Amino acid sequence: MTGPSMPLAAVDPVAQGDHRLKEPPGPPPQQKGHRTQHDEADGGEDQKAGEGVGGRGHSVTRVMSDYNFAYLDEQTKRMIRRALLKALAVPGYQVPFASREMPMPYGWGTGGVQVTAACLVPEDRLKVIDQGADDTTNAVSIRRFFERTAGVATTGHTEAATLIQTRHRIPETPLTEGQILVYQVPIPEPLRFLEPRETETRKMHELEEYGLMYVKLYEDIARHGEIATAYAYPVKVAGRYVMDPSPIPKFDNPKLGGCAAIQLFGAGREARIYALPPWTEVVSLDFEDHPFVASKADHSCALCGAGNSYLDEVITDDRGSRMFVCSDTDFCAGRQAAGKAGSEGPKEGA
Amino acid sequence: MNTIMTGGFAEPAIQSARTFRALLEAMARPGRIGTVGGAEPPAPLSVAAGVVLLVLTDPTTPLHLAGDADCAAVRSWIAFHTGAPLVAAEEAQFALGTWNALQPVTRFLIGEPAWPDRSATLIVETDRLEPRGARLTGPGIGTEARLTLPETAAFRLNRAQFPLGFDTILTCGDRLAALPRSTRVEDN
């Protein structure tokens, strides 16, 4: 049961065997701002009752040795790795890959998880965010999945992470060289809602025929007076392929280009991988008289006072009260720790 | 016989992961030189070429050996460690050899207009791999990068076909760098 891939294996191998695929669906979402290093001790507690392993307060997640490092077998990883290299060589082009079934439902990040599994090394420090938060169910589940199958360290701090898997946000803190950002992508084809046939959209990419996308944006303007697309806002990569940046808010679009980190996109159900090498030119589609605007809620964060971060609207009672808080929990917690406070203060919500 | 079976990864999952990470950084940042190790392929293969084969090739990836690399020791080592079928240059998904041995490079797969990913990756053994010489610009490069290349004309022609084209991994001893088709190459 012991193997080279279990640097954190501080527990009874008998207990480990029992945990295979019997994990509960994840703990309930923790409070915002809760740090992640020590919030996994409850996982599997119910299953090891009486085994005397770890005990309460044991803070190291069990590493499973029943699987290959990072869950996927080597043949699968080679296939994904070849696709990743081709994706980097042709930025924005969607490379087909033989997506595997993962132990989570489609829509929960099976594409991102496969890309992460193919990229992880034991020395990595992994951060997983879901809509900017480190502490929601999807993020907690995926983070724990890799703690257990790869034995990698995890973190909630953007600066400390070497690999960040994200669902629908780019962290506020600028990414640096040496970091990899892995996006979970539901629909990789930006033209899919305009043209449902794969044969046609493939031809459109081949001919660089993106008029349909401009018609869509134009119709937005005709109907609403502005480009109403607020998320999954299409971009053109390195002057060639139109790409879906995954459903990130268009507020995040300017961070796609000129980014020092490697950005990888995985769509599990649709079996596509695409990529943005660092410093790639990424242009949000727009018109000369209707330029792209990276919009956000016109407020500042109620908790940390940030006026330049993307905000979530939180309903606080049934009489219409609400507050706006940073979507990026690490960014917000960092500012609060540095003494920054919002106008309303953190006492809201009564 | 013994040399065929030795020289692979001792811990395939971990060493493949680390090697791939170096490859990923190299392909994402054209001209960036990375160091790899962990395998000892038979002569004349370099360590870097050997680990690239171990990380990327398997029975599903047709491989072409060019020039001196196409010797009995290398063929057996590849058969034992990767199982990659050896094929002619025109059918190869991967090709390995010195730049001269790989000529003419126009015979390699460059993908199809609808499927640019169906192209060859050339693993080019070089004597010199240093961050000077040809000027590189394009995706993955901040302002510019420099890399010693065997020539520039072929890479310019390759870039002119974008998004089609072959991708190149340059190997030298235990070091490697990459030159994807997206990179613009200039002499000075």
Side-chain angles (χ1 to χ4, degrees), chain B residues 85-112:
Chain B
L86 300 181
V87 299
E90 291 77 9
E91 303 160 34
Q93 195 174 339
F94 289 90
L96 169 63
T98 62
W99 185 248
N100 285 337
L102 288 167
Q103 298 303 319
V105 288
T106 47
R107 60 193 166 144
F108 292 104
L109 292 174
I110 57 169
E112 301 156 36

Side-chain angles (χ1 to χ4, degrees), chain A residues 53-331:
Chain A
V53 179
R56 299 204 63 80
H58 191 283
S59 62
V60 180
T61 299
R62 291 148 208 80
V63 178
M64 299 194 294
S65 58
D66 304 334
Y67 288 104
N68 191 28
F69 172 73
Y71 185 76
L72 292 174
D73 60 280
E74 288 303 295
Q75 180 92 354
T76 298
K77 282 197 240 173
R78 270 193 296 272
M79 173 271 296
I80 296 172
R81 286 164 177 166
R82 290 192 294 262
L84 283 168
L85 294 184
K86 287 298 175 194
L88 284 167
V90 191
Y93 168 72
Q94 302 161 48
V95 181
F97 79 111
S99 180
R100 301 295 196 244
E101 286 208 17
M102 298 300 287
M104 64 185 68
Y106 287 130
W108 285 61
T110 53
V113 163
Q114 290 179 76
V115 170
T116 299
C119 291
L120 271 182
V121 295
E123 297 78 22
D124 266 324
R125 185 167 284 274
L126 178 70
K127 171 182 165 81
V128 185
I129 52 173
D130 174 2
Q131 303 268 21
D134 291 281
D135 47 17
T136 52
T137 308
N138 197 192
V140 170
S141 303
I142 292 172
R143 190 165 54 240
R144 190 162 60 180
F145 176 76
F146 283 116
E147 281 176 354
R148 303 183 83 179
T149 58
V152 293
T154 55
T155 182
H157 292 296
T158 302
E159 300 90 341
T162 54
L163 198 155
I164 303 172
Q165 181 171 333
T166 176
R167 174 175 174 275
H168 309 355
R169 269 317 305 280
I170 300 175
E172 305 289 356
T173 311
L175 301 178
T176 56
E177 196 172 317
Q179 290 184 310
I180 297 175
L181 186 60
V182 176
Y183 295 76
Q184 303 172 196
V185 182
I187 307 287
E189 176 51 69
L191 303 163
R192 182 60 70 234
F193 289 110
L194 308 172
E195 170 50 69
R197 289 166 295 181
E198 166 70 12
T199 47
E200 293 300 303
T201 53
R202 185 155 291 280
K203 185 67 94 181
M204 290 156 83
H205 283 295
E206 171 186 340
L207 300 175
E208 206 175 346
E209 173 48 69
Y210 297 123
L212 197 57
M213 185 59 87
Y214 282 100
V215 170
K216 192 253 182 195
L217 296 177
Y218 168 74
E219 286 182 346
D220 263 12
I221 295 169
R223 269 196 208 116
H224 308 289
E226 59 177 3
I227 298 177
T229 305
Y231 65 95
Y233 193 102
V235 295
K236 193 162 201 179
V237 177
R240 179 58 180 81
Y241 285 98
V242 164
M243 185 191 94
D244 183 339
S246 87
I248 57 172
K250 68 177 171 183
F251 174 81
D252 282 342
N253 270 29
K255 301 180 204 162
L256 290 162
C259 175
I262 300 171
Q263 300 175 81
L264 307 172
F265 299 76
R269 178 182 48 212
E270 305 292 323
R272 295 288 186 274
I273 283 172
Y274 50 104
L276 292 175
W279 315 116
T280 301
E281 181 201 28
V282 180
V283 178
S284 301
L285 301 184
D286 61 0
F287 300 98
E288 281 176 17
D289 52 346
H290 282 87
F292 171 81
V293 179
S295 60
K296 65 182 269 290
D298 192 16
H299 293 267
S300 52
C301 175
L303 299 179
C304 76
N308 58 352
S309 70
Y310 190 73
L311 301 173
D312 285 337
E313 183 179 0
V314 181
I315 307 293
T316 52
D317 60 24
D318 57 0
R319 295 191 302 278
S321 303
R322 53 178 132 158
M323 64 195 283
F324 290 87
V325 296
C326 290
S327 147
D328 185 333
T329 52
D330 172 56
F331 177 78

